[in-house]
């Protein structure tokens, strides 16, 4: 690996622990005029301190906060690198009584843009709900001008932070006791009140007795002054600084580990006390402080010392120690960053193999990619156990072709290895994980991939916990998630749920939010296909909540969105359901992942039907989703049920009978019986239909939404028969079925029956109404199903009146051949006989003109004619009109 210095892109932000505030230096000069300004500022919603590095912002605020807390006045300190506390503050109810506590945000320029946007919104909408002091190196996009005009904001800039002559005198003498008035005057003249320049010049004066100042056109002032100051430090201190300035965060213990000097913590404490560009952050407990180097010091050490061969070697050695230190503490991201800085290919390899999948699952794909890029050319080929990790990286990064190539190489590597050593389980698990992923897209047999993954897990039994630990909890959880996803696709729901439950336990033990969210998203799909609508929605929403601002990977997020869309539809919130559908439809997985594509198609179809767009729904149902193999039974079931429903609405009995046979052939006998029972009312024998429905409801494994719809049919038929007590019992049973999962959408057919709503009203007004009855009544009373307005006719609506017109004749003999019209063709023929145009027929039947023309072509062909007049004449002659 080629040698290199510290690269800023590999350096994690330095952040003090939450709840810690800077400790003022021992050389502090209290600046009362600025304290007064801050006291005045916190009476308003916003105080901004805008000035570059080295102007004393943090020291000023730490002194002001310390004094305020000593007086019993609360202040919240938030570092810009970790704004979680600020998020909680901004989410407080705006109507809280009393003046809010002031919140100091140091390094506010490091706040994420989303946080700044939220902060700006609060200042615009409810400014009096906050008291914010923001210290930043540059102006932020917040409504400062608007607030200043209203007297609600105060801004302090560099000119305000400049040390006055009196303040400069006290500061210089705090660092150089023997400084003369002339020395101080010269330092103040050249430093122009700049805090960092004053401190550095004073320390140089203390060490050398002279005021050293650069001439014109020489290197930057602070560069020279800081360099001169560092030269006055003990060599041991300089070495410690050089070995530690690249750390993510720094405690005395970590400084000792990195520098190899047991006195490193004491050195840092002395530097922080003297105010030499090292700040100590403390909290109210007795824990050790956390130290942070000023950016000016970091930049100088990086440019002036790390560039030399000796300095570079010191840093490399320190970073190697840091990598081992972070690895021992479980901070694998920091360990890998340090390994990169240490130019240690073997250490990078070991970290990638042991922790690469965990880092990828945590969203650290950029870091893992940088690690692979840093390895020498051909290194992965010489160490084939890395193929699996690189394949996972390429998969996460969207490089499908590269991931497939690496998956094949990982397979070959695993096949060639003996597999006898525990460490062989790691590449075997990665290869199995990739094979599971490929199998869901039809590139490999899914059942073979499942058996292979189970074999890997069987070699690492979880009974005593020790063998599986070789995989690591993150890798194990990811493998179990992929196995569960493949089992969902392979229609093995019980096994999928078992493996997902194990993955959830493993991910929670690892404390890995992204993996937890992934498990919940897949579990939501299993719950949905089992008809557990609200349970699935809770799992899906929990997945999104756990993922937080970082968000879910697309393949997980799309599952959560589709499931939430179904839940919204179930509660008749069509607007929300469409919104979730559109979000899911934008994902690549909605086109390439069979399960997701199938569920999305079903969701879109039910929404189209409910809005009355029956032709569009029929178009959506004309073909199965793109599939990597035979559709899982639950997708076949849902599509067959939907096609049956659309056929019922359109009066297409032939299609209805075909879909019932599809249900039976796909192993959905209970669902087929229920569909037959619900459509049996068309035969005119309500008693026989009731018996069939009762028998269908006896199936213990019947799909819950369909069973609930059948229960509503039973309620209506009993009410029509005048059996009030039986109808009331059936109503309660129906409510018991729909209540747990809030399946309101399955009752929209019943809602079209006035008698049903009347019965529901009587029940709600009765002495002991069902707890969910009022909700159902309210939702259904104000709901208008689009398919009703589009002319969709359910079995119940067709048998609503005993004095309904006779059924249209569909059979006839034409030219000695028996023909049969479809229900829709008969309706078109009837409209044709009324003399209606194509447009009028389309409007009357709620279909398009093209659909009218399609039905007429079929009608003319069956009648053996070519035009309207001949069709009408032939139809009358054979009794079809």
């Amino acid at each position: 690996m080629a040698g290199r210095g510290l690269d800023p892109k590999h350096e994690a932000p330095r952040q003090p622990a939450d709840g810690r505030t800077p400790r003022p230096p021992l050389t502090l000069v209290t600046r009362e005029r600025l304290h007064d300004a801050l006291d005045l500022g916190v009476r308003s919603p916003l105080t901004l301190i805008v000035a570059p590095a080295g102007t004393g912002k943090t020291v000023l605020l730490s002194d002001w906060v310390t004094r305020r807390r000593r007086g019993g006045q609360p202040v919240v300190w938030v570092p810009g690198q970790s704004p979680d506390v600020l998020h909680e503050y901004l989410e407080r109810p705006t109507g809280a009584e009393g003046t809010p506590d002031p919140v100091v945000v140091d390094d506010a320029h490091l706040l994420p843009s989303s946080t700044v946007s939220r902060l700006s919104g609060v200042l615009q909408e409810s400014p009096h709900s906050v008291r914010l002091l923001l210290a930043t190196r540059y102006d932020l996009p917040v409504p400062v001008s608007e607030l200043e005009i209203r007297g609600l904001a105060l801004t302090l800039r560099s000119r305000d932070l400049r040390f006055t002559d009196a303040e400069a005198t006290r500061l210089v003498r705090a660092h150089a006791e023997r400084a003369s008035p002339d020395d101080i005057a010269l330092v103040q003249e050249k430093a122009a009140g700049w805090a960092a320049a004053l401190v550095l010049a004073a320390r140089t004066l203390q060490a050398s007795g002279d005021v050293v100042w650069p001439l014109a056109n020489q290197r930057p002032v602070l560069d020279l002054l800081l360099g001169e100051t560092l030269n006055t430090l003990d060599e041991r201190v300089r070495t410690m600084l050089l070995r530690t300035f690249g750390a993510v965060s720094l405690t005395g213990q970590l400084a000792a580990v990195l520098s190899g000097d047991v006195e490193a913590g004491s050195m840092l404490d002395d530097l922080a006390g003297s105010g030499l560009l090292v700040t100590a952050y403390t909290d109210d407990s007795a824990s050790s402080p956390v130290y942070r180097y000023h950016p000016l010091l970091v930049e100088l050490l990086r440019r002036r010392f790390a560039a030399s061969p000796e300095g570079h070697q010191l840093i490399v050695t320190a970073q190697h120690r840091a990598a081992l230190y972070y690895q021992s503490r479980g901070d694998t991201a920091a360990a890998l960053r340090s390994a990169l800085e240490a130019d240690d290919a073997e250490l990078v390899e070991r970290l990638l193999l042991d922790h690469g999948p965990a880092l990828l699952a945590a969203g650290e794909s950029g870091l893992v990619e940088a690690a692979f890029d840093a390895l020498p050319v051909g290194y992965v080929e010489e160490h084939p156990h890395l193929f699996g990790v690189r394949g996972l990286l390429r998969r996460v990064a969207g490089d499908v072709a590269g991931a497939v190539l690496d998956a094949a190489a990982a397979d070959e590597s695993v096949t060639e290895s003996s597999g006898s050593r525990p460490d062989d389980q790691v590449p075997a698990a990665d290869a199995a994980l990739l094979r599971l992923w490929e199998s869901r897209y039809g590139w490999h047999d899914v059942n073979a991939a499942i058996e292979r993954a189970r074999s890997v897990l069987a070699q690492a039994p979880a009974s005593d916990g020790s063998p599986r630990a070789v995989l690591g909890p993150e890798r194990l959880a990811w493998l179990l998630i992929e196995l569960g996803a493949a089992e969902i696709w392979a229609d093995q729901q019980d096994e999928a749920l078992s493996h997902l439950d194990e993955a959830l336990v493993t991910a929670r033990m690892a404390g890995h939010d992204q993996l937890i969210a992934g498990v919940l998203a897949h579990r939501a799909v299993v719950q949905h296909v089992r008809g557990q609508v609200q349970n699935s929605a809770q799992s899906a929403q929990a997945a999104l909540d756990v993922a937080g601002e970082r968000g879910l990977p697309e393949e997980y997020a799309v599952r959560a969105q589709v499931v939430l869309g179904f839940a919204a539809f179930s509660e008749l919130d069509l607007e929300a359901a469409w919104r979730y559908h559109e979000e899911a439809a934008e994902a690549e997985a909605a086109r390439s992942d069979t399960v997701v594509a199938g569920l999305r198609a079903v969701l879109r179809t039910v929404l189209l039907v409910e809005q009355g767009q029956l032709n569009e729904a029929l178009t959506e149902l004309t073909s199965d989703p793109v599939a990597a193999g035979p559709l899982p039974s639950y997708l076949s079931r849902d599509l067959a049920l939907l096609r049956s429903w659309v056929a019922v609405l359109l009066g297409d009995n032939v299609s209805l009978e075909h879909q019932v046979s599809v249900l039976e052939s796909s192993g959905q006998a209970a669902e087929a019986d229920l569909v037959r029972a619900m459509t049996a009312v068309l035969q005119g024998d309500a008693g026989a239909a009731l018996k069939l429905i009762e028998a269908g409801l006896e199936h213990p494994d019947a799909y819950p939404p369909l069973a609930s719809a059948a229960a509503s049919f039973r309620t209506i038929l009993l009410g029509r028969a005048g059996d009030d007590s039986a109808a009331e019992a059936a109503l309660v049973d129906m409510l018991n079925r729909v209540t747990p999962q809030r399946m309101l959408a399955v009752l929209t057919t019943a809602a079209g029956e006035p008698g049903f709503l009347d019965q529901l009203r009587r029940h709600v007004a009765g002495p002991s109404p069902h707890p969910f009855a009022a909700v159902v009544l309210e939702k259904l009373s104000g709901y208008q199903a689009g398919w009703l307005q589009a002319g969709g006719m359910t079995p119940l609506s067709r048998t609503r009146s005993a004095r309904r017109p006779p059924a249209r004749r569909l059979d006839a003999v034409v030219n000695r051949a028996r023909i049969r019209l479809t229900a829709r063709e008969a309706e078109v023929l009837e409209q044709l006989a009324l003399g209606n145009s194509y447009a009028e027929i389309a409007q009357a039947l709620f279909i398009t003109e093209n659909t009218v023309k399609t039905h007429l072509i079929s009608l003319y062909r069956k009648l053996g004619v070519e035009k309207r007049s001949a069709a009408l004449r032939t139809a009358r002659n054979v009794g079809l009109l």
Side-chain angles (χ1 to χ4, degrees):
M1 193 184 318
R4 74 170 171 270
L6 283 169
D7 187 342
K9 72 180 180 180
H10 294 148
E11 182 180 358
R14 299 170 180 79
Q15 65 180 56
D18 290 341
R20 294 179 181 271
T21 55
R23 187 175 64 194
L26 300 177
T27 54
L28 173 72
V29 171
T30 297
R31 309 172 74 186
E32 293 294 344
R33 63 184 180 87
L34 294 179
H35 280 219
D36 292 341
L38 295 176
D39 288 338
L40 176 63
V42 292
R43 298 177 186 174
S44 301
L46 177 64
T47 303
L48 272 176
I49 303 178
V50 186
T55 50
K57 301 186 295 296
T58 299
V59 172
L60 168 65
L61 289 172
S62 66
D63 185 27
W64 179 78
V65 167
T66 300
R67 187 191 68 172
R68 187 176 179 90
R69 285 176 174 170
R70 285 174 181 166
Q73 297 174 293
V75 182
V76 178
W77 184 282
V78 178
Q81 305 95 326
S82 46
D84 293 344
V85 176
L86 181 59
H87 290 166
E88 297 175 8
Y89 179 82
L90 294 176
E91 295 299 328
R92 294 187 328 165
T94 57
E97 296 182 0
T99 303
D101 296 337
V103 176
V104 174
V105 183
D106 194 22
D107 289 333
H109 53 275
L110 298 179
L111 290 173
S113 58
S114 59
T115 303
V116 176
S117 176
R118 173 62 181 144
L119 187 153
S120 179
V122 170
L123 288 171
Q124 288 176 322
E125 298 166 7
S126 54
H128 292 289
S129 67
V130 294
R131 294 290 184 270
L132 295 167
L133 282 79
L134 309 182
T136 173
R137 294 184 196 169
Y138 47 78
D139 287 295
L140 299 174
V142 294
V144 181
S145 300
E146 302 172 21
L147 294 172
E148 285 181 337
I149 291 173
R150 299 165 59 189
L152 300 179
L154 172 69
T155 303
L156 300 177
R157 298 190 177 272
S158 298
R159 59 180 177 273
D160 303 304
L161 297 185
R162 289 174 185 159
F163 277 68
T164 65
D165 290 346
E167 292 169 342
T169 298
R170 290 158 53 202
L171 182 60
V172 171
R173 284 192 170 147
H175 291 272
E177 298 175 356
R178 300 188 301 274
S180 68
D182 290 340
D183 293 334
I184 295 173
L186 178 59
V187 169
Q188 172 67 339
E189 176 189 352
K190 299 296 184 180
W194 195 352
L198 286 169
V199 170
L200 295 172
R203 291 186 65 85
T204 303
L205 175 62
Q206 175 70 9
S208 64
D210 294 320
V211 177
V212 178
W213 206 264
L215 300 175
N217 299 324
Q218 285 188 320
R219 53 190 167 171
V221 171
L222 288 180
D223 194 347
L224 174 68
L225 292 175
L226 186 52
E228 292 292 335
T229 301
L230 288 178
N231 290 338
T232 67
L233 297 177
D234 183 83
E235 182 178 355
R236 187 177 174 188
V237 175
R238 292 201 304 272
T239 301
M240 184 274 298
L241 289 174
L242 189 58
R243 287 175 170 172
T244 58
F245 77 90
V248 175
S249 61
L250 204 60
T251 62
Q253 179 186 5
L254 178 56
V257 170
L258 296 178
S259 65
D261 194 325
V262 294
E263 298 297 328
S266 299
M267 298 177 198
L268 287 173
D269 204 52
D270 290 341
L271 292 171
S274 65
L276 185 58
L277 300 180
V278 176
T279 303
Y281 289 81
T282 60
D283 54 22
D284 295 333
S285 68
S287 61
S288 301
V290 173
Y291 299 96
R292 180 182 176 190
Y293 292 165
H294 196 283
L296 294 173
L297 175 60
V298 172
E299 181 60 25
L300 182 71
L301 290 169
R302 188 190 307 279
R303 287 190 289 106
R304 292 189 58 189
F305 293 92
S308 68
E310 298 81 5
H312 175 71
Q313 188 55 47
L314 284 174
I315 292 171
V316 166
T317 303
Q319 291 298 333
H320 190 277
R321 284 196 295 264
L324 299 177
Y325 172 79
Y326 287 129
Q327 185 182 21
S328 69
R329 295 172 64 88
D331 190 349
T332 53
L336 185 54
R337 290 189 184 95
S338 294
L340 289 172
E341 304 299 352
D343 293 338
D344 190 332
E346 291 185 2
L347 182 56
V348 170
E349 173 200 343
R350 188 167 75 245
L351 289 170
L352 283 174
L353 183 61
D354 292 345
H355 306 291
L359 292 170
L360 290 171
E364 294 281 4
S365 58
L367 175 60
V368 176
E369 184 176 8
F372 273 104
D373 289 344
L375 293 172
V377 176
Y379 194 92
V380 176
E381 287 69 19
E382 296 173 2
H383 301 79
H385 47 262
L386 289 177
F387 276 122
V389 179
R390 194 174 69 178
L392 294 174
L393 166 64
R394 287 175 166 177
R395 173 194 163 183
V396 169
D399 180 5
V400 175
V404 170
L405 290 174
D406 277 342
D411 273 340
E412 184 178 352
S413 171
V414 170
T415 302
E416 292 176 353
S417 67
S418 64
S420 58
R421 294 178 294 108
D423 286 348
D424 290 335
Q425 293 173 12
V426 171
D430 293 343
L433 199 160
L434 286 168
R435 180 56 61 89
L436 287 166
W437 164 66
E438 291 179 303
S439 72
R440 289 193 286 118
Y441 294 87
W443 299 325
H444 292 285
D445 179 70
V446 66
N447 291 304
I450 288 172
E451 289 308 314
R452 175 174 176 176
R454 290 175 180 172
S455 175
V456 171
L457 293 172
Q459 295 171 19
S463 57
D464 60 358
S466 56
R468 265 193 192 177
V470 174
L471 298 182
E474 295 89 354
R475 184 180 256 110
L476 175 59
W478 199 354
L479 176 59
L480 288 165
I481 290 172
E482 282 296 333
L483 177 55
E487 289 166 335
I488 292 172
W489 162 227
D491 223 350
Q492 301 174 23
Q493 306 305 318
D494 291 339
E495 294 84 350
L497 202 56
S498 174
H499 286 125
L500 289 173
D501 285 344
E502 185 179 352
L504 185 59
V505 172
T506 306
R508 282 175 172 164
M509 288 177 62
H512 203 304
D513 288 345
Q514 291 289 298
L515 289 173
I516 293 171
V519 176
L520 293 171
H522 283 289
R523 189 170 72 175
V525 172
V526 179
Q527 292 168 326
H528 167 74
V529 301
R530 290 183 167 182
Q532 300 166 357
V533 184
Q534 292 304 317
N535 292 354
S536 65
Q538 290 169 6
S539 293
Q541 188 58 56
L544 297 175
D545 292 342
V546 168
E549 290 189 357
R550 178 180 293 176
L552 274 172
E554 182 184 274
E555 66 173 307
Y556 299 157
V558 69
R559 285 167 165 77
Q561 290 157 354
V562 168
V563 165
L564 288 170
F566 278 111
F569 167 72
S570 182
E571 295 198 62
L572 298 178
D573 186 351
L574 301 191
E575 182 179 350
W578 272 114
R579 185 171 64 252
Y580 284 121
H581 168 269
E582 295 304 324
E583 291 175 359
E586 293 176 0
E588 171 61 30
R591 296 179 290 276
S592 56
D593 184 306
T594 300
V595 171
V596 175
L599 292 176
R600 186 212 60 80
V602 171
L603 176 59
R604 175 174 168 77
T605 303
V606 297
L607 290 172
L608 289 171
V609 170
E610 208 61 28
Q611 289 189 337
Q613 301 177 49
L614 301 182
N615 286 325
E616 291 85 346
L618 197 58
T619 300
E620 185 77 34
L621 290 171
T622 53
S623 60
D624 288 334
V626 177
L631 285 176
S633 65
Y634 53 85
L635 283 181
S636 297
R637 175 200 67 200
D638 289 353
L639 290 168
L641 288 175
L642 264 178
R643 289 168 181 152
S644 300
W645 177 234
V646 173
V648 167
L649 295 179
L650 297 177
D652 187 350
N653 292 329
V654 174
S655 295
L656 173 62
E657 291 171 4
H658 173 68
Q659 294 306 322
V660 172
S661 66
V662 169
L663 286 170
E664 288 181 325
S665 63
S666 61
Q668 313 288 333
E671 286 70 22
D673 288 345
L674 281 173
V675 172
R676 281 202 181 94
M678 293 166 68
T679 55
V681 294
L682 290 172
Q683 307 304 319
D685 188 344
L690 269 172
K691 290 180 180 179
L692 288 174
I693 291 175
E694 292 283 1
L697 290 175
E698 291 297 322
H699 285 289
D701 54 347
Y703 186 45
L706 182 61
S708 298
S712 71
F713 272 51
R714 178 178 60 180
T715 302
I716 292 168
L717 292 176
L718 288 170
R720 287 183 182 179
D723 192 342
D724 293 342
S725 60
E728 177 70 7
L731 178 69
V732 172
D733 175 72
M734 179 202 72
L735 291 171
N736 287 336
R737 292 174 183 271
V738 301
T739 297
Q741 303 297 330
R742 298 181 66 87
M743 293 185 291
L744 293 166
V746 303
L747 302 181
T748 53
T749 298
E753 297 296 307
F756 174 80
L757 291 179
D758 289 342
Q759 182 183 353
L760 192 56
R761 290 188 187 96
R762 290 193 298 272
H763 175 80
V764 170
S768 56
H770 190 281
F772 195 53
V775 175
V776 173
L777 178 61
E778 179 185 0
K779 288 281 188 178
L780 295 183
S781 295
Y783 185 77
Q784 293 294 324
W787 47 264
L788 280 174
Q789 299 172 351
M793 297 290 285
T794 69
L796 290 172
S797 62
R798 293 180 187 187
T799 60
R800 184 180 300 154
S801 172
R803 302 178 64 181
R804 62 187 182 279
R808 297 182 181 90
R809 182 176 170 184
L810 301 178
D811 295 303
V813 176
V814 178
N815 297 328
R816 298 182 180 179
R818 179 166 293 279
I819 67 168
R820 179 175 178 81
L821 305 184
T822 67
R824 182 61 85 184
E825 289 169 349
E827 291 173 341
V828 170
L829 179 62
E830 184 178 79
Q831 292 291 322
L832 202 68
L834 294 175
N836 289 335
S837 65
Y838 291 165
E840 290 169 336
I841 294 174
Q843 185 176 11
L845 298 181
F846 297 94
I847 56 179
T848 66
E849 288 188 49
N850 285 334
T851 304
V852 172
K853 294 175 183 177
T854 299
H855 287 308
L856 283 174
I857 290 172
S858 176
L859 182 64
Y860 288 173
R861 177 180 54 78
K862 291 179 179 180
L863 294 175
V865 299
E866 296 181 353
K867 56 184 180 180
R868 175 194 292 248
S869 59
L872 293 176
R873 184 172 56 253
T874 300
R876 289 191 179 97
N877 289 338
V878 299
L880 289 173
L881 283 174

